Amino acid sequence: MSDNNPGQVDTAEVQRMAAHNGVRLDPERAAALVPFVQGLLEADARLAALDLGTLPAAGLPWAPFGGSMHGEGGSGHGG
Amino acid sequence: MAADDILFAPIAVVAAGYRSGALSPVDVNELTLARIAALNPLLNTFITVTADRARAAAWHAEQELRRGVDRGLLHGIPIALKDLIDTAGVRTTCGGRILADNVPARNAPIVDRLEEAGAVLVGKTNLLEFAYGIVHPDVGPTWNPWAPDRTAGGSSGGSAAAVAAGLCFAAVGTDTGGSIRIPAAYCGVAGLKPTYGLVSTQGIFPLSWSLDHAGPIARTSADAALLLQVILGEEIAPVERAGLQGLRLAVLANHREGKEMEPAVLAAFSAACRDLADAGAVLQEVTIPDLHLADDALFPVLGPEASAIHSRWLQERPQDYAPFTRLQLELGLTVSSLAHVRGQQYRRYLAGQLLDILQNADAILSPTAPWVAPHEDPVIADEAGAAEGRRTGLYNLSGLPALTVNCGFGPGDLPIGLQIAGRPGADREILAIGAAFEALRPDANRRPPLPAALQE
């Protein structure tokens, strides 16, 4: 699946996703998740399209280089 | 002073009464416990009422104050805690079956601070299960004091309803996507999600480490500020500003719009903006491009963290969760690591956009929720849940402080919230703006209609 084309997810795919994280879902439970998972994949495709590059994914959101909690902040734009 | 007037008085007024001898902590606590006994069966606000402990604490406070031992404005004041905050010797259920018999050995540090300040804990308040999915059927919903056939909101609904109904003077809630501010708005009280990291979440059962915040709920911004100062271990000082003249307020146009917006909420928000402008504030409209992506980023951050926290129980005791809590926990297992990271990156991007606005504004305004209290809490993972939290979740993602105060009433005389957000660390400033706004609206903090249960 590419970032911008999530494709269609099915019950087996949802079972595989959960199994990767250590939980076995029976087909009924996995099927109930399919529309939600589809929505999440589409949401992720929209975020991927934003292309945030090397913008940090850790630390305080307003302090791009891990500054103090009450720092002056500054633009987090980048990437 | 009539019992209702005492129980709805500002904390500073009750505190002054204690010191003048006009009021006593023991009497105020008994009034509080009597009101809880009358209203809790109707509202389901408390999971545990700590009556014996409260009586002992109130007696102790009274003795200390008589001896001249003064612990400050919260000394002898009845307060409540959301039932996921650890209290030594008092069960902490997280609103579900899995921890129904959990009795912590230690207090959360914020509880220690409240006890050191002499506050009287009257009980542990109801919440959505683990502050997440939905009401657990063993516990049941918290009903709204303004309309007991509607929800008080989630997840800190018990805390907000207890404050609104006069069952305590202030309470502590937690907020991961709006869980302090949404119920506070639905119940017509003030609620602050502080700057991320400002208030310790140690000893508070986590939902999502990177989005969780603990904060105060009270009937006014001044009382919320008082509670915040105590849980931060600060000297208590009034949070106020000299009027609104020249205050620069950005009106977030994205959040005035949307098909989910109820006309009455928009009208109340517009009236609040007009009142602020009439009082001298300078309002400017701002728009954030791509803000709809905040909806897309919230669950990929929150969901996997929640599922990691619950992974063992999800495998061993899945049937003990409420059905929608279980569904959301299972859904969190399907978020890819890349999606989680992209959500985290978006937080930086969003914070940068908000800080750009705040270079030219002192605070950002929006409605807190798009509608008045509904009959049921929506599920977080579906469209209604996203719409309910659309105006609050961005401040969990960005970590910026955000306050809700009442700004009017909509259909059915149900409260409507105005959200005021500020720069990181500007918690006191937005509380001061909230207090200044409340001063423009003397009826904003009116009491819910007296339920029949109390008239008998």
Side-chain angles (χ1 to χ4, degrees), chain B residues 120 217 232 323 400 448:
Chain B
V120 174
I217 298 174
L232 291 178
L400 273 56

Side-chain angles (χ1 to χ4, degrees), chain A residues 26-44:
Chain A
D26 63 38
E28 291 75 21
R29 294 208 65 79
L33 292 176
V34 165
F36 294 104
V37 174
Q38 190 68 46
L40 288 175
L41 290 173
E42 289 164 6
D44 182 49

Side-chain angles (χ1 to χ4, degrees), chain B residues 138-156:
Chain B
D138 291 358
V139 180
T142 304
W143 299 110
N144 195 306
W146 291 89
D149 62 339
R150 289 176 181 261
T151 177
S155 64
S156 306

Side-chain angles (χ1 to χ4, degrees), chain A residues 3 17 21-23 25 29 36-37 43-44 46 48 50 53 55-64 69-70 74 76-77, chain B residues 195-198 290 296 299 315 326-327 330-331 333-334 339 342 344-346 348-349 351-352 355-356 397-399 424-425:
Chain A
D3 280 349
M17 291 169 161
N21 286 304
V23 176
L25 294 179
R29 294 208 65 79
F36 294 104
V37 174
D44 182 49
R46 289 189 289 270
L50 196 56
L55 198 65
L60 296 170
W62 64 85
M69 189 180 76
H70 297 296
H77 292 251
Chain B
T195 301
Y196 180 78
L198 182 66
D290 307 318
D296 294 335
F299 193 84
Q315 293 174 72
R326 181 178 173 185
L327 180 142
E330 289 170 344
L331 186 59
L333 300 169
T334 70
R342 277 194 274 265
Q344 295 284 10
Q345 283 186 295
Y346 177 78
R348 295 291 177 127
Y349 178 77
L355 289 168
D356 284 349
L397 288 167
S398 63

